[in-house]
Amino acid sequence: MTMVETAVAPDMPGSAIPDAPVAVEVRDLHKSFGQLDVIKGVSMTAREGDVVSIIGSSGSGKSTFLRCINLLEIPTSGRVSVGGEEIRMKRDRHGQPVPADWRQVERIRTSLGMVFQSFNLWSHLTVLQNLIEVPVHVLKTPRAEAIERAEALLARVGLADKRHVYPAFLSGGQQQRAAIARALAIQPKVMLFDEPTSALDPELVGEVLKVIRDLADERRTMILVTHEMKFAREVSDQVIFLHKGLVEEEGHPGEMFRNPRSERLRQFLASTQ
Amino acid sequence: MSLDTVLTPPSPNLPAPDRSVLFRRLVFAAIGLAIVVPVVLLMRWDWLPDYLELFAQGIWTSIWLTLVSAGVGLMLAIPIGLVQVTGPAPLALVAKGFCTVIRGTPLLLQMWLLYYGLGSLFPEIPWIRESFAWEILRQAWPYALLSLTLSYAGYEGEVMRGAFASVPRGELEAGRAFGMSPFTLLRRIWLPRALFQALPTLAGETVLQLKSTPLVATITVIDVYAVASRIRQDTYVVYEPLLLIAVLYMIMTLILVRAFAWLEARVPVKRG
Ligand SMILES: Nc1ncnc2c1ncn2[C@@H]1O[C@H](COP(=O)(O)OP(=O)(O)O)[C@@H](O)[C@H]1O
Ligand SMILES: [Mg+2]
């Protein structure tokens, strides 16, 4: 590991391991829905082992930004690379940007474990079936191997005894832990979380944050949209504060939360006390 | 109260029968006996042994017409429902039009149009008369089966459209986010999810399908109902055969309802 100062990119304020390979890179991302410009030029670099938290008030574009990384939303312009591979885009007959190769997008998506605010477990499958669905039917992992790994993951998130239960019979906290295990089951390079605790009753938030904290502790690469400021401060290597589709402030959580430079971040932090 | 509600199976977590339930059952049993005993003793059943074989054939015809038309009809209903949700627009329009026509006209009319229309056209066409298919096309059952199948496809196409549309967006999005191709998503998530969603409706519709089958008797197919008609013509006994087939239909319905309830219980998509 070299200690040369230039190894640290200037636009990358906090990184756990400064010269680790880049896991996700976003350059000058724009996204609009019709006339509405939602993301107006956002860049981000997450290196392997980084936990990047994205904060900001509701409607600031956090979800849209996250969903552009795995192409659930198609960026209007800008570049997205995952594991050094840039997602190739082209323009369709109407001049709209579309992926040049959906196969590439599908392949890259299997390296991004997404966790949704509303869990989105497949309700016609048991918890175990939810976990092996993608490994078996997309990644073509042998079934026995997928089951073995899934059971280990369920034990890890404390749901071993729920493996044959359908999602409708789980609490919100259990569903979200199962959803995290489902994302881990594809052995992703990067985990993407979109407000994983916002749909939960307050007393269930803790059990989910504990699972995410464990993942952070084992240095998993994660991009986390959250409203849990205390949690973001504790687990992140880098925090990005989005305001109206632009990065208003970014940096080390400690510095940003202790003395925010911008008035907007100050107000935002005060409002989330 | 309709037959369907009477025959809805009890939910599995029903409490153990207490005294009032026991009492109610005794009352029902008494009423049942009060009906059955006079029926057996006072009515004419001497014709029954002569027609047992015909009844067996009739029951079989009713059952296979119901099952095959519902099975093939569902296969058609799936794409009919799907294209109305996904497009392309011209296909969606064709599917919508098909459902509208089928649902907007009586099944009896459709059956007669096929049998007396199409069925009387075929003999005029020499190469059809000469083909091996003629042996089949000159019979009545293909027209019965076809009209029942198209009818089921039309009604269930609409049901499947609703079912496809009602699968939560988030569950489809999860499939996409994990790298499923559109086809894998349809095969593994969207279709099974929609089918389970539609299952209670399909159960009711399949019972209705069974009870639409007597219409085939009007185009000379011998189902259970046609047997009762035959007995009336042969023996001038009117009520007893009708009572008997009423019981037979109830038994067949009960079996269908139970089969669907078993399917539904296997995958509890919703709680309770
Ligand atoms: N699919 C969409 N179509 C139109 N507008 C959208 C869509 N998704 C999000 N938006 C709009 O984009 C803005 C940002 O939304 P979002 O990214 O969900 O914000 P956040 O996650 O920060 O609350 C909002 O004004 C929202 O209404
Ligand atoms: Mg959001």
Side-chain angles (χ1 to χ4, degrees), chain A residues 33 36 38 57-65 73 194-195:
Chain A
F33 294 105
L36 181 69
V38 175
S57 50
S58 168
S60 57
K62 305 180 297 296
S63 296
T64 304
F65 176 74
E73 303 292 354
D194 189 1
E195 297 197 29

Side-chain angles (χ1 to χ4, degrees), chain A residues 3-198:
Chain A
M3 282 303 182
V4 182
E5 196 56 45
T6 51
V8 183
D11 54 351
M12 199 195 50
S15 223
I17 307 161
D19 56 358
V22 173
V24 176
E25 173 140 52
V26 178
R27 280 286 153 263
D28 198 27
L29 190 88
H30 289 73
K31 172 67 187 176
S32 36
F33 294 105
Q35 297 297 318
L36 181 69
D37 293 331
V38 175
I39 302 294
K40 305 165 186 166
V42 173
S43 299
M44 180 203 73
T45 304
R47 289 178 184 268
E48 281 178 18
D50 281 359
V51 177
V52 180
S53 287
I54 298 168
I55 61 173
S57 50
S58 168
S60 57
K62 305 180 297 296
S63 296
T64 304
F65 176 74
L66 193 73
R67 292 159 56 85
C68 280
I69 294 174
N70 61 4
L71 273 275
L72 283 182
E73 303 292 354
I74 297 176
T76 313
S77 69
R79 294 195 322 246
V80 176
S81 315
V82 176
E85 181 180 356
E86 183 174 335
I87 299 177
R88 295 188 303 280
M89 302 292 291
K90 65 175 186 190
R91 298 206 168 259
D92 69 7
R93 277 175 300 152
H94 313 289
Q96 297 295 318
V98 288
D101 178 9
W102 275 107
R103 291 276 180 75
Q104 184 203 24
V105 172
E106 282 156 15
R107 182 165 43 76
I108 286 180
R109 280 172 172 172
T110 61
S111 63
L112 300 169
M114 179 95 167
V115 175
F116 298 87
Q117 183 173 343
S118 49
F119 330 133
N120 296 346
L121 289 171
W122 296 304
S123 48
H124 64 296
L125 302 176
T126 64
V127 169
L128 184 70
Q129 287 168 340
N130 263 277
L131 262 68
I132 65 170
E133 179 63 27
V134 175
V136 171
H137 294 280
V138 179
L139 303 170
K140 310 295 179 197
T141 312
R143 196 180 183 80
E145 190 185 324
I147 290 175
E148 194 175 319
R149 220 184 298 131
E151 298 205 316
L153 283 169
L154 284 177
R156 184 172 168 184
V157 299
L159 290 174
D161 56 331
K162 300 287 184 194
R163 62 182 180 281
H164 297 310
V165 172
Y166 285 88
F169 297 85
L170 297 178
S171 74
Q174 290 170 330
Q175 287 192 50
Q176 193 61 300
R177 282 185 280 145
I180 294 171
R182 172 178 69 174
L184 291 169
I186 69 171
Q187 301 187 300
K189 286 205 195 80
V190 181
M191 290 284 284
L192 307 176
F193 294 86
D194 189 1
E195 297 197 29
T197 58
S198 294

Side-chain angles (χ1 to χ4, degrees), chain A residues 13-17 46-47 49-55 193 209 212-213 215-217 219-241 250-258:
Chain A
S15 223
I17 307 161
R47 289 178 184 268
D50 281 359
V51 177
V52 180
S53 287
I54 298 168
I55 61 173
F193 294 86
L209 290 185
I212 302 175
R213 187 190 303 269
L215 296 175
D217 288 346
R219 301 247 56 90
R220 258 183 196 277
T221 317
M222 307 202 280
I223 301 171
L224 170 70
V225 173
T226 186
H227 271 142
E228 299 286 335
M229 288 309 133
K230 184 165 164 290
F231 184 74
R233 181 175 184 164
E234 287 163 8
V235 303
S236 315
D237 304 296
Q238 188 190 153
V239 175
I240 295 175
F241 172 55
E250 63 184 317
H252 265 299
E255 294 158 24
M256 264 179 77
F257 286 96
R258 213 175 309 117

